[in-house]
Amino acid sequence: MTAWKGGRRKTKGRKTSGSRAAASAVGLERAIAAAARELRSTGKALVTCHVSPDGDAIGSGLALALALRARSAEVVFYSEDPVPYNYAFLPGASTVVRKVPAGARFDHTFILDLSDASRLGRGFPREGLGTVVNVDHHATGPGIGGLQVRDEHAAATGELVCRLFKAARVPISPEIATNLYCAILTDTGSFRYSNSTPGAFAAAGRMVACGAEPWRIASEVYESEPAARYHLLGRALSTLHVSCGGRFASLYVTSEMYRATGASKEMTDQFVNFARALKGVEVAAFLRELPDGRFKASLRSRGGIDVSAVGVRFGGGGHRNAAGAELPGPLDHARATIERVVAEVLGCTASSV
Ligand code: 5GP
Ligand code: MN
């Protein structure tokens, strides 16, 4: 999941960049109108999202898939990684496939919740894509394809999909509403993070009016935990390391811990927030070992620190207050690398690290 945005929203920066902001708003409206036309004209579409999908990736993708199918389009929703256990209840989740049929040709390909081709699945086809439409709210990455609906101020890709549906006059069924509500709920950290904007609440409110049931969705997403997750969490918490005078905290999970607890990688969702929730912590990192011995870093900040810049330094990216990247192992090396760069960003002296 994308548990991000612990910091304050940059409304000030937006106001001061007046004319540029206005120009890009017009650009965004045009892109939404163009994407709406594509949505209405497609007969066969590929929908995809980023690897290790979260509630926004799956929810916005399923909403789009359901909307297109309701228009009698043929849709393949491809995700390299399986739908995480706590999103399997989402309407349409059983239709997500992990392989695109060989040689398939599409009128359109909709790429959701990523702007960086390195986060596409390995099985993402390079041919037969038709018109590519990229819908995303990440601050980093060049974008993919010719038609890009990108707004880093949107709380979730799901919020942008709501706008797209409005422009395309897509009827919102309770199933579509459930997916889009879930996308916004999870990317705002249950409406706690600084991306919990009036736009996010308005879109979520519309989805509730269209049939999304907040209590049921919250219970499926947050209160359907497998015991293995808690066993893994116990081990992860015991790795807590605080440095930089209490401003940086980190946790990790190794392959051995997965083996010992029977847990899997999607069960580590939100672990990083335990580190960020410590009083005084400004930057938090969570490292999880990948099957090849590298480490996936989840980075979070609150306040002014931009962790997307840290992610970018390692070939990753994300948002100001939530980002990620992959680092070479072994564990001690990965931990030291992150700690060094975070100390640099926080301006800690070597002795306080
Ligand atoms: P998470 O830590 O929840 O996996 O990701 C936090 C945020 O950073 C999400 O918005 C996610 O899409 C983004 N992110 C995570 N890992 C990467 C990465 O390797 N590259 C890029 N560009 N973004 C990432
Ligand atoms: Mn997202």
Side-chain angles (χ1 to χ4, degrees):
M1 109 120 209
T2 312
W4 62 310
K5 304 252 176 179
R8 214 175 295 148
R9 196 169 173 75
K10 286 179 63 200
T11 43
K12 210 170 144 205
R14 289 170 76 197
K15 272 184 201 146
T16 50
S17 60
S19 57
R20 263 180 54 209
S24 71
V26 172
L28 178 64
E29 287 311 318
R30 284 207 185 117
I32 287 174
R37 283 193 293 276
E38 300 299 339
L39 187 160
R40 290 175 67 86
S41 72
T42 197
K44 184 164 184 194
L46 174 64
V47 173
T48 196
C49 61
H50 57 78
V51 293
S52 299
D54 55 18
D56 188 26
I58 296 292
S60 54
L62 285 175
L64 182 59
L66 291 175
L68 293 174
R69 286 183 190 129
R71 297 184 56 80
S72 306
E74 199 184 314
V75 180
V76 173
F77 182 172
Y78 158 73
S79 167
E80 169 170 316
D81 293 305
V83 175
Y85 64 91
N86 54 336
Y87 302 120
F89 78 98
L90 287 171
S94 62
T95 66
V96 177
V97 296
R98 296 178 63 193
K99 268 208 172 93
V100 178
R105 303 198 78 78
F106 301 95
D107 301 330
H108 292 85
T109 293
F110 294 89
I111 297 176
L112 303 178
D113 205 33
L114 72 153
S115 292
D116 185 337
S118 69
R119 305 202 76 217
L120 285 165
R122 272 189 295 270
F124 181 77
R126 304 290 146 174
E127 287 179 350
L129 300 176
T131 302
V132 174
V133 182
N134 184 193
V135 183
D136 186 33
H137 69 134
H138 284 91
T140 61
I144 306 164
L147 180 41
Q148 299 182 7
V149 177
R150 290 187 65 188
D151 180 7
E152 66 173 290
H153 301 298
T157 296
E159 187 186 341
L160 286 172
V161 171
C162 284
R163 293 181 64 179
L164 184 56
F165 284 179
K166 200 167 173 199
R169 296 196 189 85
V170 167
I172 309 289
S173 65
E175 291 76 23
I176 290 176
T178 298
N179 278 298
L180 290 177
Y181 180 88
C182 176
I184 298 166
L185 173 77
T186 54
D187 252 24
T188 56
S190 305
F191 304 102
R192 286 178 301 141
Y193 301 144
S194 61
N195 58 342
S196 305
T197 57
F201 279 105
R206 280 200 302 279
M207 294 307 110
V208 175
C210 290
E213 296 173 294
W215 64 269
R216 188 174 73 82
I217 296 169
S219 146
E220 294 279 4
V221 172
Y222 300 118
E223 297 182 1
S224 303
E225 305 289 20
R229 172 167 153 95
Y230 282 15
H231 292 139
L232 185 67
L233 176 61
R235 286 173 195 245
L237 290 176
S238 72
T239 71
L240 178 69
H241 176 70
V242 180
S243 61
C244 216
R247 297 165 68 205
F248 175 55
S250 63
L251 300 170
Y252 64 83
V253 156
T254 61
S255 300
E256 172 50 31
M257 294 183 198
Y258 288 127
R259 269 194 296 278
T261 56
S264 51
K265 69 171 182 179
E266 77 267 20
M267 294 181 197
T268 62
D269 184 29
Q270 309 250 31
F271 280 14
V272 66
N273 289 329
F274 286 90
R276 183 172 63 182
L278 287 175
K279 194 169 176 67
V281 163
E282 290 172 52
V283 176
F286 169 68
L287 294 174
R288 66 174 162 87
E289 190 169 3
L290 300 170
D292 63 2
R294 290 166 60 79
F295 282 82
K296 175 81 205 184
S298 283
L299 304 164
R300 299 291 184 272
S301 67
R302 61 173 147 198
I305 305 292
D306 180 5
V307 285
S308 73
V310 178
V312 165
R313 269 185 65 171
F314 300 109
H319 309 278
R320 188 174 181 80
N321 298 115
E326 284 184 21
L327 301 168
L331 175 65
D332 289 347
H333 176 72
R335 291 179 72 200
T337 307
I338 280 289
E339 184 150 338
R340 182 168 35 77
V341 174
V342 170
E344 214 176 287
V345 170
L346 286 173
C348 303
T349 59
S351 59
S352 66
V353 172

